[in-house]
Amino acid sequence: MRFARQTVSVKEALGKWQSVLPSLETEQVQIGEAYGRILACDLYATHDLPHFDRSPLDGFAVRAADTVGASVASPLALRVIETVAAGQVPTRTVTEGCAARIMTGAMLPEGADAVIMFEQTQNPGEHAETVWIKRALRPGENVSRRGEEMAKGTVIAKAGERINAGTIASLAAFGYAQVDVFRRPRVGLLATGSELLGIDEPLVPGKIRNSNTVMLTALIAEAGGIPVCFSGLPDELAVAKQKISEYMQQVDLLISSGGVSVGDFDVIALLTNEPDVELLFNRVAMRPGSPTTSMLVGGKPYLALSGNPGACFLGFELFARTAIRRLSGAAEAFPRMIRARLAVSYEKPCPYPRYLRGRLLEQDGVLLAMPDFNEKAGNLGTLKDSECFIVIPPGGSGKQAGELVEILTHAAPSWRKEG
Ligand SMILES: Nc1nc2c(c(=O)[nH]1)N[C@H]1C(S)=C(S)[C@@H](COP(=O)(O)OP(=O)(O)OC[C@H]3O[C@@H](n4cnc5c(N)ncnc54)[C@H](O)[C@@H]3O)O[C@H]1N2
Ligand code: MOO
Ligand SMILES: [Mg+2]
């Protein structure tokens, strides 16, 4: 036995892992660069929204009192005193018997308290001096009041929120040309294994092409990190240790694939005996990826994922994505679990919770989870089709079709429950 392994649950492992991850420093970015970043401070409405009473329609600004009794059968005449376009400030007050022609988004003139749309008037032509109102309006009808959407000082977005297109629209509306966000984490990446070939190398017996490095590069970038690729590790412990320490200096988080199990050349496992290494966990109660290991090397977080592509993928979603989000300052680092009904029975028993890759389907308003069945940890052909992990609890005889199962989503952010 090279070293003892104590099994921890996914929840415990995530708890330990998250507790050692700091939020990175903040920086200021232009709004055009802010998409996908995590806000570093709460932002407030800098003014009422809208900041003036305005018309939501093209029509006429009127005094509701002047429209009493108006109908299609007996329209009432009002004198048109000016035209107010969006962006203009009205120059005239609407007094008894008068109306101002007004465009959508334009400022409501003094005196007016309602707007009637062109379609409900007669003779609404551009230069008409008189317009006939075909229905009565209530005071306030068709008026967007100052501050009706948001009062000045309202929180528009909170620290820890991911900036999406909607956030950007709010920031723009309130004049935030720059925002404070957390720095994007630099995530180092390396693959171990002397069986690995470059992607452009011809196959030779016993060797395979390195698919994990490029897969992880894509996943890191997608999660908001900056991937930094390093060369692989030698099997020799002293050299491997020195390399890892070197790489660690350059990044906020280091991820490797392979070498975490008990094989003769699985060098990562041996690292945990080194002096400035603090082991967090090296066996997690999950399938695939049970040998997933994490540690602090010189105080910095290091995640060693299994080399098996399927296990590497799951390990990334559970631990690396969470780490990148935590380092990026996200308030909610772990995607919430949702529940769905299992589309077909899965009866294979397992001593650990099994995270089956799968897809989500909707049938008659019911969310169904369809397992992949291509479940060997070394298989990679269906990784591209995976949009969730279906959690089959340990023991027993799996789950029957129609039973509720926990789902960890990853490729379909719209499924993630917010708030
Ligand atoms: N005696 C035992 N053997 C194994 C155990 C065990 O408990 N006892 N656990 C198995 C489990 S579970 C897993 S998962 C793997 C973990 O393997 P490692 O993390 O040590 O990874 P490697 O040995 O380096 O490689 C495993 C597998 O993956 C392929 N691989 C590795 N790197 C890449 C890459 N960059 N791209 C594509 N494929 C890669 C590698 O060729 C191997 O086939 O250990 C089991 N063994
Ligand atoms: O943890 Mo391993 O990936 O189950 O085969
Ligand atoms: Mg191995």
Side-chain angles (χ1 to χ4, degrees):
M1 194 74 171
R2 295 159 87 194
F3 58 89
R5 295 205 187 216
Q6 199 193 341
T7 308
V8 295
S9 68
V10 168
K11 196 172 167 205
E12 275 175 273
L14 275 168
K16 280 192 172 186
W17 181 229
Q18 292 201 66
S19 71
V20 301
L21 300 165
S23 288
L24 298 178
E25 315 85 73
T26 64
E27 62 186 13
Q28 200 169 61
V29 293
Q30 297 295 322
I31 187 169
E33 313 284 299
Y35 179 78
R37 303 295 293 271
I38 308 290
L39 264 180
C41 56
D42 295 352
L43 295 179
Y44 299 88
T46 51
H47 52 72
D48 289 340
L49 191 68
H51 68 101
F52 52 86
D53 290 351
R54 69 181 178 191
S55 173
L57 299 168
D58 298 314
F60 292 90
V62 299
R63 291 157 26 100
D66 289 350
T67 67
V68 173
S71 68
V72 174
S74 63
L76 289 177
L78 294 177
R79 190 163 63 83
V80 182
I81 54 170
E82 75 167 328
T83 297
V84 191
Q88 285 179 347
V89 176
T91 58
R92 308 273 307 270
T93 298
V94 174
T95 52
E96 193 175 345
C98 295
R101 198 177 168 80
I102 192 163
M103 303 303 129
T104 303
M107 206 168 169
L108 199 73
E110 285 286 320
D113 62 1
V115 173
I116 186 162
M117 57 164 73
F118 285 149
E119 295 88 327
Q120 294 172 347
T121 66
Q122 197 176 301
N123 193 31
E126 227 173 295
H127 302 292
E129 289 178 1
T130 303
V131 62
W132 277 268
I133 306 299
K134 295 198 285 191
R135 82 168 182 83
L137 291 127
R138 294 182 310 277
E141 200 171 341
N142 298 333
V143 174
S144 298
R145 286 287 172 207
R146 175 180 180 143
E148 80 169 19
E149 190 189 341
M150 225 181 270
K152 181 179 177 175
T154 309
V155 177
I156 53 169
K158 290 199 161 162
E161 272 183 40
R162 184 177 174 276
I163 298 176
N164 60 26
T167 326
I168 286 178
S170 291
L171 297 182
F174 290 110
Y176 289 100
Q178 297 93 26
V179 279
D180 289 335
V181 295
F182 289 96
R183 176 166 74 72
R184 285 173 70 197
R186 287 171 60 80
V187 183
L189 173 61
L190 58 94
T192 71
S194 23
E195 76 276 32
L196 301 179
L197 296 170
I199 299 159
D200 51 3
E201 286 186 83
L203 283 183
V204 290
K207 301 213 173 197
I208 58 162
R209 296 196 181 97
N210 173 2
S211 55
N212 286 350
T213 296
V214 282
M215 174 181 79
L216 290 170
T217 303
L219 287 167
I220 291 167
E222 187 203 80
I226 301 170
V228 182
C229 281
F230 295 119
S231 58
L233 281 189
D235 296 337
E236 205 188 319
L237 178 64
V239 192
K241 172 68 207 312
Q242 197 220 324
K243 285 259 173 215
I244 286 191
S245 300
E246 229 174 79
Y247 297 156
M248 272 296 190
Q249 309 288 317
Q250 301 168 50
V251 295
D252 302 299
L253 163 70
L254 185 67
I255 300 179
S256 62
S257 92
V260 293
S261 188
V262 293
D264 294 348
F265 307 100
D266 289 342
V267 70
I268 303 295
L270 298 174
L271 269 175
T272 53
N273 293 329
E274 291 295 289
D276 64 338
V277 173
E278 184 190 330
L279 177 71
L280 298 168
F281 54 84
N282 59 8
R283 175 163 287 278
V284 185
M286 64 186 211
R287 279 278 149 76
S290 47
T292 302
T293 296
S294 86
M295 56 190 109
L296 291 173
V297 177
K300 278 196 178 171
Y302 172 32
L303 177 67
L305 299 171
S306 157
N308 273 327
C312 184
F313 184 70
L314 170 64
F316 181 92
E317 287 301 331
L318 284 173
F319 299 104
R321 191 180 288 280
T322 304
I324 293 169
R325 286 178 56 77
R326 171 71 69 193
L327 292 166
S328 312
E332 189 91 12
F334 189 67
R336 297 227 180 130
M337 307 288 286
I338 59 170
R339 289 193 307 164
R341 302 227 169 245
L342 196 60
V344 290
S345 297
Y346 184 91
E347 288 170 339
K348 205 169 151 184
C350 183
Y352 291 154
R354 195 188 287 276
Y355 287 70
L356 278 177
R357 293 202 296 273
R359 304 194 66 143
L360 293 169
L361 320 162
E362 182 273 331
Q363 205 172 63
D364 300 327
V366 176
L367 189 59
L368 297 180
M370 177 64 79
D372 181 342
F373 286 109
N374 182 23
E375 73 203 81
K376 279 194 182 160
N379 293 359
L380 55 71
T382 54
L383 285 174
K384 70 176 183 59
D385 300 320
S386 171
E387 51 187 9
C388 67
F389 293 101
I390 302 163
V391 187
I392 305 292
S397 55
K399 283 271 182 189
Q400 296 301 308
E403 280 195 84
L404 275 177
V405 279
E406 295 280 325
I407 304 287
L408 173 77
T409 59
H410 61 86
S414 58
W415 290 113
R416 286 181 193 174
K417 273 203 217 157
E418 293 291 341

